[in-house]
Amino acid sequence: MSDKHLLKSRLCLCLIILAHLLHAMAEEPALQTRGENEKQSDETLLQSDETLEHHQRVKRGWVWNQFFVLEEYTGSEPLYVGKLHSDMDRGDGSIKYILSGEGAGTMFTIDDNTGDIHAIQRLDREVKAQYILRAQALQRRTGMPLEPESEFIVKIQDINDNEPQFLDGPYTASVPEMSVIGTSVLQLTATDADDPTYGNSARVVYSILHGQPYFSVEPRTGIIRVTLPNMDREAKEHYEVIIQAKDMAGQLGGLAGTTTVNITLSDVNDNPPKFAQKLYQMSVPESSPVGSIVGRVRAKDLDEGINAEMRYTIIDGDGRDTFDISTDPTNQVGIITIRKPLDFEGKKSYTLKVEGANTQLDHRFLRMGPFSDVTIIHISVEDVDEPPQFDSKFYYVEVPEDVAIGTIFQTVSAKDLDVSNNSVRYSIERNSDPGRYFYIDITSGALMTARPLDREEVSWHNITVMAMEMNNPTQIGSVSVTVKVIDVNDNPPELAKYYEAFVCENTKAGQLIQTVTAVDLDDPLGGQHFYYSLAPEAANNPNFTLRDNQDNTAWIVTRRGGFSQKEWSIYYLPILISDGEQPVHSSTSTLTIRVCSCDTEGNVMSCTAEAYTLPVSLSRGALIAILACIFVLLVMILLILSLRSQRKKPYLTDAEENVHENIVRYDDEGGGEQDTEAFDIAAMWNPRESQVVKFRQDMVSEIESLSRYVPQNYMGDSNVHGYVLAKLYEADVDPCAAPYDSLQTYAYEGEGSVADSLSSLQSVTTNTDHDYDYLSDWGPRFKKLSDMYGVSEMDNALW
């Protein structure tokens, strides 16, 4: 602080003190003697013990109740505040002044002789604006108060020693981009700690130091406003503005404070989206499943947040039904996915016209639109080696259960749709046909039966047919074939259960003794209908008859009465049951009828089983004889078998040269030309010609399973598949057949042949040419061979 300013402050202090003294002297009355009727306010009287004793009033010794002192005194001497003086003080030092209250002794001191008050500490009005003190005059000698204690206030007078402050700074604010001039951004308030009621120390005005020409501030209110139109966030987003607050109404010498305001332009939708390219090229394998992602496109939008949200749509193109596009909300890209299966062979490329548009539009900026953009996407379908495709998604076929083995009931077809168009081979997935009921032709896809079908055993078959590419076995297509076995009438009806009836000895003719029912495994469309009758051999029996009720039940009725257990205890009644379907099937079941003793109400009392017991007359010797005969018979059988095994001798010994692979040795040779009962190979070419297969009498048991005839009336002459399947089925179900394929070789002819052996197995050991001249010596039967292989005399002559 300058000396001039200090001098001015001290002069002001003196004038203030003087003014207070004159004011106090003008208002304080002279000391008056107490009268009998005189009244005086107790607040203006000070009484001492002495004055009370002499019945007189004494006026207050000091006349001011407050002092004023300037803050922030910086002088070297204590600051004079004021003076306390009592009228009883005659200047002889007999009176002592004391001071108490706020700051007494620390902030303020008093001269106990003169009553002068001084401030010994630097005072700050912003810390404490006033102090309340109490003063009293005492008799120095006795310490007795001469006057009552009086209270007064010392007020700290403000000077401009505090600059304005922005208590909440620095500040952040935002304002939409493209705002008009005058748009309010933020209101600032600076606080000045000086006394706002005294002078201009706390009168603040605002100004902008940095941030023009974009923003301005109102001097009195502190409101920051936009001063530049069309500010673009995409060009510049952040601004730093410095605001100053100055007291003394901004006059020279006022104190100032500053703060920083960081202003951000918030986004508005003022920029339309744009695709980076007008044409995009994409590719996708044709084997991609539905829902697979083909690619992504993005329309770039300079805006952000909801103002940059996009919606992508396919507005045109030949692939709008094959592809979809969706919007990824995270990064606002368009994701192209497959909507329908692709097929390179059907269509190799697609074109899409895609639009990207903003979803949140600001109507204030529609003039800057349109807020959308369009691009073209070309998608190429890549060829993939796909498995063969069947001409149907599934097959359903109905096959009668009596169909013959080898019957073709369905032909499936699959093609390799690739450009290579490879050949296809068919097979049956064996897990789908564990019973091996079906066979498929590997090249034609013809499905045929390999075993007899039985609806009563398995009524439905669900098989899987596979088609495999020849050049790429990993490419396998499959299709489901559902085979429903249609019922035919191939099962005879039979009694529903085992029936055992009884007839009382005292029964009468026409008595119902049993009701029987039948069952049939077949399931005809019109339902079951059975016909009952007695078997022909029992039709005229005199004991029982059968009555068909025409409701699939029949009654067994007695023809006579007077049955007797002694005469005959058990009757066996054969019942003939036939169905009503074509071809008609029937069966004969036996009903057991026991003769029993009954009471008068017909309740069975006892039945005998004489038909099942041995005669009582059979003795122990007879039983021993029977067992001896059985033993002798067994011994004879074992002897015959032993003799037969001794007769069999091998015709190939280890000493001879043995050239064979899986050769089955036969103990009996062929009969040569005399053997006319050998296996006829012609049956392999025309099986219908062999209705009755003839076997050699001594080999029937050994080759029976290999040549059993299977009816082939349905087959053509060239259908070898059916015949082979039938033979395969025979070998599968024949317990005597070998569980492997074998080569059956006749190494030697029988003794009846004049040529001995015709086998060439031993001729391979020589490298010399064969001489066939001996064929002419074998008789007329070998004349043709002799002419073909022998050397004639004419040939010799020519050569």
Side-chain angles (χ1 to χ4, degrees):
M1 185 180 293
S2 65
D3 294 339
K4 184 178 180 180
H5 185 69
L6 179 61
L7 180 62
K8 185 183 292 186
S9 300
R10 291 182 176 179
L11 181 60
C12 290
L13 178 62
C14 293
L15 290 175
I16 291 172
I17 295 173
L18 181 62
H20 280 287
L21 290 174
L22 292 175
H23 179 72
M25 292 175 64
E27 291 184 352
E28 183 70 22
L31 183 62
Q32 298 180 357
T33 303
R34 178 185 300 267
E36 182 178 1
N37 297 321
E38 185 179 11
K39 295 181 179 179
Q40 197 66 266
S41 174
D42 292 338
E43 296 179 359
T44 62
L45 294 179
L46 293 176
Q47 296 180 350
S48 65
D49 294 339
E50 295 179 358
T51 58
L52 289 175
E53 294 177 357
H54 293 87
H55 300 284
Q56 62 180 2
R57 293 179 62 88
V58 180
K59 71 176 182 180
R60 190 181 302 275
W62 43 87
V63 295
W64 55 92
N65 58 4
Q66 61 181 1
F67 295 99
F68 292 91
V69 59
L70 289 176
E71 65 173 339
E72 302 294 344
Y73 173 72
T74 59
S76 59
E77 298 294 330
L79 177 64
Y80 181 77
V81 177
K83 185 180 180 66
L84 297 180
H85 180 74
S86 175
D87 290 343
M88 300 179 66
D89 186 3
R90 292 177 174 82
D92 55 359
S94 61
I95 296 178
K96 179 182 179 180
Y97 298 96
I98 62 173
L99 187 67
S100 63
E102 296 178 343
T106 58
M107 302 293 296
F108 302 97
T109 61
I110 189 170
D111 190 334
D112 60 354
N113 286 322
T114 63
D116 293 334
I117 300 173
H118 291 82
I120 60 175
Q121 294 287 341
R122 183 177 179 178
L123 302 177
D124 189 353
R125 190 199 68 84
E126 289 73 37
V127 176
K128 191 172 180 63
Q130 65 181 16
Y131 295 86
I132 300 176
L133 298 172
R134 291 182 300 278
Q136 193 173 25
L138 304 175
Q139 181 67 37
R140 186 180 294 274
R141 183 176 54 86
T142 62
M144 299 297 293
L146 299 176
E147 296 176 355
E149 187 180 60
S150 180
E151 184 179 270
F152 64 94
I153 299 175
V154 177
K155 290 187 176 181
I156 310 302
Q157 195 161 7
D158 184 51
I159 64 173
N160 189 20
D161 61 340
N162 291 280
E163 72 277 4
Q165 293 182 352
F166 294 93
L167 301 180
D168 298 327
Y171 299 87
T172 58
S174 65
V175 63
E177 63 174 331
M178 312 301 288
S179 296
V180 298
I181 296 177
T183 301
S184 175
V185 179
L186 180 67
Q187 184 175 9
L188 302 179
T189 300
T191 302
D192 196 323
D194 294 326
D195 188 359
T197 64
Y198 181 78
N200 293 327
S201 298
R203 186 179 177 184
V204 179
V205 294
Y206 301 92
S207 61
I208 185 169
L209 300 182
H210 180 73
Q212 295 175 330
Y214 308 105
F215 302 97
S216 65
V217 63
E218 293 184 356
R220 294 185 179 275
T221 62
I223 298 176
I224 301 175
R225 297 186 182 275
V226 176
T227 57
L228 186 66
N230 300 326
M231 285 193 295
D232 191 1
R233 183 195 67 85
E234 289 73 33
K236 185 177 181 180
E237 184 176 3
H238 301 287
Y239 296 85
E240 183 180 78
V241 179
I242 299 177
I243 302 297
Q244 174 183 271
K246 189 174 184 182
D247 58 12
M248 299 297 291
Q251 298 177 5
L252 184 64
L255 302 178
T258 61
T259 188
T260 301
V261 182
N262 295 308
I263 301 176
T264 301
L265 297 183
S266 60
D267 186 57
V268 298
N269 192 7
D270 60 338
N271 292 280
K274 293 292 182 183
F275 284 102
Q277 302 173 212
K278 289 300 181 182
L279 177 63
Y280 292 87
Q281 296 283 348
M282 298 180 182
S283 61
V284 58
E286 63 172 333
S287 59
S288 300
V290 174
S292 300
I293 296 177
V294 179
R296 294 174 173 84
V297 294
R298 181 182 180 184
K300 187 176 182 181
D301 194 329
L302 297 178
D303 298 320
E304 63 181 10
I306 62 173
N307 299 313
E309 290 183 358
M310 302 292 299
R311 181 181 66 252
Y312 296 91
T313 55
I314 300 175
I315 59 176
D316 199 4
D318 58 358
R320 61 189 308 176
D321 295 332
T322 308
F323 299 92
D324 273 334
I325 190 169
S326 59
T327 304
D328 185 353
T330 302
N331 48 24
Q332 301 299 321
V333 299
I335 303 175
I336 301 172
T337 56
I338 300 174
R339 183 177 180 183
K340 292 182 179 179
L342 303 177
D343 184 10
F344 173 82
E345 291 72 26
K347 190 171 179 61
K348 296 179 175 60
S349 63
Y350 296 87
T351 301
L352 304 177
K353 189 176 184 181
V354 175
E355 179 188 61
N358 285 140
T359 58
Q360 306 292 332
L361 299 180
D362 194 331
H363 297 284
R364 298 174 299 172
F365 306 105
L366 291 179
R367 67 184 186 278
M368 305 176 70
F371 287 85
S372 63
D373 196 17
V374 176
T375 187
I376 303 298
I377 301 175
H378 185 267
I379 302 176
S380 300
V381 180
E382 298 177 349
D383 188 25
V384 176
D385 191 5
E386 298 175 298
Q389 299 293 325
F390 286 87
D391 57 4
S392 179
K393 294 182 178 180
F394 66 94
Y395 294 89
Y396 171 80
V397 61
E398 296 180 350
V399 180
E401 64 175 327
D402 63 344
V403 67
I405 296 176
T407 300
I408 297 176
F409 60 87
Q410 178 70 47
T411 299
V412 298
S413 177
K415 294 181 179 179
D416 180 14
L417 301 180
D418 297 324
V419 177
S420 57
N421 192 19
N422 294 323
S423 299
V424 175
R425 294 294 180 264
Y426 300 94
S427 62
I428 295 177
E429 205 279 312
R430 283 307 174 191
N431 290 331
S432 65
D433 183 26
R436 305 294 193 268
Y437 286 96
F438 304 100
Y439 171 81
I440 189 170
D441 186 271
I442 192 172
T443 57
S444 67
L447 278 167
M448 59 190 74
T449 56
R451 292 184 57 186
L453 303 179
D454 188 355
R455 188 201 66 84
E456 290 72 32
E457 180 181 351
V458 182
S459 59
W460 290 87
H461 297 271
N462 293 306
I463 62 175
T464 300
V465 175
M466 298 182 296
M468 179 185 68
E469 291 184 14
M470 285 293 293
N471 296 340
N472 190 358
T474 61
Q475 297 298 327
I476 301 175
S478 62
V479 69
S480 177
V481 180
T482 301
V483 180
K484 180 181 180 181
V485 181
I486 303 301
D487 183 47
V488 297
N489 191 26
D490 59 345
N491 291 284
E494 56 186 14
L495 289 179
K497 62 181 182 178
Y498 173 74
Y499 290 97
E500 188 173 19
F502 69 91
V503 59
C504 294
E505 290 181 321
N506 57 356
T507 190
K508 298 179 181 180
Q511 181 69 40
L512 173 64
I513 63 171
Q514 184 67 51
T515 300
V516 296
T517 59
V519 293
D520 193 337
L521 296 178
D522 296 322
D523 186 18
L525 296 177
Q528 301 282 5
H529 188 73
F530 304 124
Y531 299 95
Y532 299 88
S533 63
L534 294 178
E537 62 270 19
N540 298 322
N541 80 89
N543 302 311
F544 306 98
T545 185
L546 182 144
R547 183 179 301 172
D548 192 342
N549 297 324
Q550 301 298 317
D551 60 355
N552 290 341
T553 65
W555 290 348
I556 308 301
V557 181
T558 59
R559 282 187 173 181
R560 66 178 180 87
F563 291 92
S564 174
Q565 295 182 8
K566 297 179 179 180
E567 294 180 359
W568 202 265
S569 61
I570 297 177
Y571 295 90
Y572 298 101
L573 186 65
I575 301 175
L576 180 65
I577 310 171
S578 60
D579 54 27
E581 299 296 322
Q582 294 296 327
V584 176
H585 286 272
S586 63
S587 66
T588 301
S589 300
T590 301
L591 175 65
T592 302
I593 304 174
R594 294 180 178 274
V595 180
C596 300
S597 298
C598 303
D599 57 16
T600 56
E601 295 181 357
N603 298 321
V604 176
M605 297 177 62
S606 65
C607 299
T608 60
E610 296 180 358
Y612 296 94
T613 60
L614 291 174
V616 180
S617 59
L618 191 59
S619 63
R620 181 179 300 178
L623 291 175
I624 295 175
I626 293 174
L627 293 177
C629 292
I630 294 174
F631 178 75
V632 172
L633 183 60
L634 291 176
V635 172
M636 293 178 64
I637 293 174
L638 293 175
L639 183 59
I640 293 173
L641 294 176
S642 176
L643 292 175
R644 185 174 181 181
S645 61
Q646 292 294 330
R647 290 176 53 198
K648 296 182 179 180
K649 297 179 180 179
Y651 284 85
L652 283 176
T653 62
D654 295 336
E656 300 179 29
E657 186 176 5
N658 186 8
V659 181
H660 67 280
E661 278 294 331
N662 258 343
I663 296 178
V664 178
R665 299 183 180 184
Y666 283 84
D667 294 336
D668 299 304
E669 292 80 15
E673 296 177 358
Q674 298 177 358
D675 188 358
T676 58
E677 297 180 352
F679 184 75
D680 189 5
I681 196 62
M684 289 291 290
W685 302 105
N686 191 359
R688 292 185 299 176
E689 295 180 359
S690 178
Q691 298 296 330
V692 179
V693 180
K694 296 185 293 182
F695 304 106
R696 288 179 53 184
Q697 298 300 322
D698 56 348
M699 296 182 63
V700 172
S701 60
E702 298 185 14
I703 65 173
E704 179 180 5
S705 63
L706 300 178
S707 59
R708 186 183 298 118
Y709 172 69
V710 177
Q712 301 289 336
N713 295 333
Y714 64 93
M715 299 171 53
D717 293 342
S718 60
N719 189 354
V720 181
H721 276 302
Y723 182 78
V724 173
L725 289 174
K727 291 299 180 183
L728 179 61
Y729 174 69
E730 287 182 22
D732 290 340
V733 300
D734 189 356
C736 299
Y740 51 85
D741 296 334
S742 61
L743 174 65
Q744 301 175 4
T745 306
Y746 289 94
Y748 297 95
E749 270 63 52
E751 298 177 352
S753 173
V754 298
D756 294 327
S757 175
L758 294 179
S759 175
S760 60
L761 294 177
Q762 297 177 342
S763 62
V764 297
T765 58
T766 176
N767 294 326
T768 59
D769 293 334
H770 290 286
D771 184 8
Y772 296 102
D773 292 340
Y774 59 86
L775 293 175
S776 58
D777 300 330
W778 288 0
R781 291 181 180 270
F782 296 90
K783 183 177 185 304
K784 185 64 175 178
L785 290 176
S786 176
D787 294 338
M788 293 174 62
Y789 294 94
V791 180
S792 63
E793 295 179 358
M794 184 179 296
D795 294 337
N796 293 333
L798 291 175
W799 292 96

